[in-house]
Amino acid sequence: MSIIAWVALGLLAGAFAKAIYPGYQGGGILSTMILGIIGAFVGGSLFTLVGTGTLQITAAGAGLTLAGILVAVLGAIVAIYLWGLIRRSSNA
């Protein structure tokens, strides 16, 4: 995938994940894109783990298709959750 496609996927996945996930996450468009791109990697890695049984850091399951966006959104939701855990533990 080209860098423009990664940015588009990141923007879509991050925006959908922020809309779905309850509560306030903060951040602007750049953090939304980064969150979505990280989500694509998390979702792609989990997709590969479930499909093959091996853990690989990849975004192979995430592309500019409906299934790829779904995988990226699910990964972004996991990334939001993990980021919330990190922020809570650092504020305590």
Side-chain angles (χ1 to χ4, degrees), residues 2 4 6 13 18-20 22-23 31 33 38 49 51 60 63 75 80 84 88-89 92:
S2 71
I4 295 171
W6 276 111
K18 280 189 171 187
I20 294 170
S31 67
M33 279 191 287
I38 290 171
L49 177 66
I80 289 173
R88 266 186 255 144
S89 66

Side-chain angles (χ1 to χ4, degrees), residues 32-62:
T32 301
M33 279 191 287
I34 291 170
L35 174 72
I37 292 170
I38 290 171
F41 277 101
V42 170
S45 298
L46 290 176
F47 184 76
T48 303
L49 177 66
V50 170
T52 65
T54 60
L55 182 62
Q56 297 175 350
I57 305 299
T58 181

Side-chain angles (χ1 to χ4, degrees), residues 66-81:
L66 185 58
I69 292 172
L70 180 64
V71 166
V73 168
L74 292 175
I77 289 172
V78 170
I80 289 173
Y81 174 74

